[in-house]
Amino acid sequence: MLASHLTFLQEAQEPAADLSRLAEHLPYEWVERAVQATGTASIRRRRLPAEQVVWLVIALAMYRHWSVSEVLDSLDLVLPDETAPCVSKSAVVQARQRVGQAPLAWLFEQTARTWSQQDAQHHAFKGLSLWAMDGTTLRTADSPANREHFGAQGYASGKVASYPQVRAVTLTAIPTHLVSAIGFGRYDTNEMLYAKGLLPQIPDDSLTVFDKGFLAAEILCGLTMGGQNRHFLIPAKSNTCWEVTGGKAHDADVRMRVSPQARKKCPALPEFWSARAIRTVDARGRERVLLTSLRDRRRFRAADIVACYERRWHIETSYRELKQSMLGMELSLRSRTVDGVYQEIWGALIAYNLIRREIASAAREAKPLPTDISFVRALHMIQHEMMWAAMTPAYAKLPACLHRLREQLKSLPNVKRPGRSCDRVVKSRPARYAVRYLRKVP
């Protein structure tokens, strides 16, 4: 059972044979509470009860290159039955449909909230936990149900994208890259709406770094007004206008007017909102202005704030790790139904956070930063250890395997060459007609 395989992720040194106490990171009790709280627990005895289906969905994200049948057989997820050693594909589909997305969503929220709180105290920026909010998209299978529900990108020419897409906005912990919260759904829904839904989940005593697309009084004022000691850091747009009220040219206090449209939509907004504008020049000589609510110049120096913003760009790799490394560079998600897409996304997020949580635990022992450990190597290592556990009944060896896994993770630094910069590459537009290559005549 995958529940026992995830014993590799526990930190406690209790006897491994006690299978009632499962992984510390994802206790089996949480899975049981997830299916019970959402009313999806199995009443009759099944080969694939609801709890096993939850583990299956998580495992499908870790083994994206395998079919569902291969995952079931290789990880021994099906309860034994001598009369029927195999489970049909239709039975697996029906089991996933019975469970739905609710238990996975409940489990993600529970684990993300707990793990984020545990890691926040270890990686604070002058007493503030660090977060980043950004958006991304995921492609789904091109089925009529997915296209009708999620929609797709439209072009000026009137053409529509080949695949339906899911739009998502995530709240990610900058030090560990753990996804703390997410809002996703239809592609034509504005990112601002998803971002507003995530604001209540940002903890107090925090600094959230935004992409410039979220530069709006409704978002930034909603962050600072909705909690205690919650701050923002965001780059200004080229057309952002403000009035300087104090400070210096490179580190000024500014005031901006809230548009009448924004105040009509949200009457609680003030007429003006203030920020600190820090001018900086990047490695390529381009000038950038950073707006922040950290007004104390003695405690928060401009250089420290600029360095903190540079760390925000590293969370872009979390999207690459989730969409490319874990999902195996596949063109789209597996599921062809709307509920299956939601279920699959929740399972992928739980699996991603499990790997990130184990990396953070290994980093605390080896003393490097969690982002200095290779995610791809850690993913492959955990995959191999889970496979070994499925084939080895000697559970007494699990503590030794856990120790080996941690030691291997510590020795996998993700070394970055200093001063390296990668230019963004603009891909050539596909030609409308086939390209003809002329053969040279000797």
Side-chain angles (χ1 to χ4, degrees):
M1 294 169 58
L2 184 57
S4 60
H5 308 157
L6 288 178
T7 308
F8 289 118
L9 303 181
Q10 66 180 355
E11 294 179 339
Q13 298 299 324
E14 295 185 15
D18 181 14
L19 300 182
S20 61
R21 186 200 183 283
L22 301 174
E24 177 183 338
H25 297 332
L26 187 55
Y28 194 75
E29 290 78 6
W30 287 5
V31 179
E32 292 180 334
R33 288 172 55 191
V35 297
Q36 292 172 2
T38 55
T40 54
S42 299
I43 300 177
R44 52 179 290 194
R45 189 180 187 278
R46 300 179 182 274
R47 299 290 307 282
L48 271 176
E51 293 83 359
Q52 297 300 104
V53 176
V54 171
W55 293 116
L56 170 63
V57 176
I58 297 173
L60 288 175
M62 289 191 178
Y63 297 90
R64 182 62 177 87
H65 56 291
W66 286 1
S67 67
V68 178
S69 300
E70 289 175 324
V71 174
L72 283 173
D73 297 337
S74 300
L75 299 184
D76 196 18
L77 290 174
V78 181
L79 297 183
D81 187 349
E82 297 180 357
T83 60
C86 299
V87 176
S88 63
K89 293 182 180 179
S90 60
V92 178
V93 174
Q94 293 173 7
R96 290 186 59 185
Q97 291 175 347
R98 285 194 306 269
V99 172
Q101 60 163 312
L104 278 301
W106 188 97
L107 188 60
F108 167 78
E109 294 172 0
Q110 175 73 18
T111 54
R113 180 169 60 251
T114 303
W115 296 340
S116 299
Q117 293 173 354
Q118 293 173 353
D119 290 333
Q121 57 184 349
H122 298 286
H123 306 282
F125 171 71
K126 298 183 182 297
L128 302 176
S129 57
L130 290 176
W131 308 92
M133 187 175 292
D134 203 355
T136 187
T137 59
L138 292 166
R139 283 180 293 191
T140 72
D142 190 13
S143 65
N146 288 345
R147 185 170 289 276
E148 179 181 0
H149 180 82
F150 295 109
Q153 182 180 5
Y155 301 96
S157 61
K159 294 183 178 180
V160 182
S162 302
Y163 291 90
Q165 290 177 296
V166 178
R167 187 181 297 280
V169 175
T170 61
L171 179 66
T172 305
I174 293 179
T176 61
H177 289 190
L178 190 141
V179 179
S180 176
I182 185 172
F184 63 95
R186 290 184 57 87
Y187 180 82
D188 56 6
T189 302
N190 195 294
E191 287 185 345
M192 293 292 187
L193 298 178
Y194 293 126
K196 286 175 58 179
L198 297 181
L199 291 181
Q201 303 187 50
I202 299 177
D204 296 335
D205 301 314
S206 62
L207 172 62
T208 305
V209 187
F210 293 87
D211 183 74
K212 70 170 60 176
F214 297 100
L215 181 57
E218 187 176 6
I219 298 294
L220 303 180
C221 292
L223 172 68
T224 56
M225 295 165 54
Q228 297 181 356
N229 201 27
R230 300 199 305 180
H231 298 277
F232 64 82
L233 176 60
I234 188 171
K237 298 180 181 179
S238 59
N239 60 349
T240 304
C241 300
W242 56 69
E243 174 189 356
V244 178
T245 59
K248 301 179 181 179
H250 65 279
D251 190 355
D253 294 325
V254 298
R255 187 178 72 162
M256 289 161 281
R257 182 183 296 274
V258 180
S259 65
Q261 296 82 359
R263 297 190 65 193
K264 183 178 180 180
K265 185 185 303 183
C266 183
L269 291 177
E271 184 179 356
F272 294 92
W273 63 287
S274 302
R276 177 183 173 189
I278 301 174
R279 294 185 180 274
T280 180
V281 179
D282 61 13
R284 302 178 187 177
R286 298 175 300 184
E287 186 180 85
R288 177 188 292 123
V289 179
L290 300 178
L291 300 176
T292 181
S293 57
L294 299 173
R295 310 290 290 277
D296 189 348
R297 289 180 172 80
R298 291 185 177 181
R299 181 183 177 188
F300 303 101
R301 298 183 305 167
D304 295 335
I305 295 177
V306 172
C308 184
Y309 177 77
E310 295 299 331
R311 295 179 62 186
R312 169 252 178 269
W313 285 104
H314 296 169
I315 72 151
E316 297 287 350
T317 61
S318 65
Y319 292 142
R320 181 189 65 193
E321 293 160 356
L322 177 63
K323 298 165 60 175
Q324 299 181 16
S325 300
M326 272 187 54
L327 301 185
M329 298 291 291
E330 294 291 339
L331 195 61
S332 65
L333 299 173
R334 294 178 187 255
S335 304
R336 302 186 64 84
T337 63
V338 174
D339 196 62
V341 169
Y342 281 97
Q343 184 189 72
E344 185 176 354
I345 293 176
W346 290 122
L349 290 170
I350 296 172
Y352 175 80
N353 279 352
L354 267 173
I355 299 170
R356 273 292 164 199
R357 179 62 179 158
E358 181 59 27
I359 289 176
S361 300
R364 282 202 302 271
E365 297 180 7
K367 304 305 180 183
L369 294 175
T371 53
D372 289 340
I373 296 179
S374 171
F375 177 86
V376 175
R377 294 288 301 277
L379 169 62
H380 293 167
M381 204 169 299
I382 292 174
Q383 288 174 335
H384 296 158
E385 293 291 346
M386 290 170 61
M387 281 293 301
W388 183 91
M391 297 181 294
T392 305
Y395 292 105
K397 299 180 180 180
L398 288 179
C401 297
L402 170 62
H403 177 73
R404 182 175 70 251
L405 172 62
R406 288 285 174 80
E407 292 301 321
Q408 290 175 332
L409 286 177
K410 294 177 189 177
S411 63
L412 297 178
N414 189 17
V415 181
K416 302 178 180 64
R417 286 180 283 176
R420 181 185 181 189
S421 60
C422 301
D423 296 332
R424 292 188 176 183
V425 178
V426 179
K427 297 182 179 180
S428 60
R429 181 175 298 178
R432 297 178 57 187
Y433 307 100
V435 178
R436 298 181 61 186
Y437 296 94
L438 300 179
R439 186 177 60 182
K440 294 183 178 180
V441 179

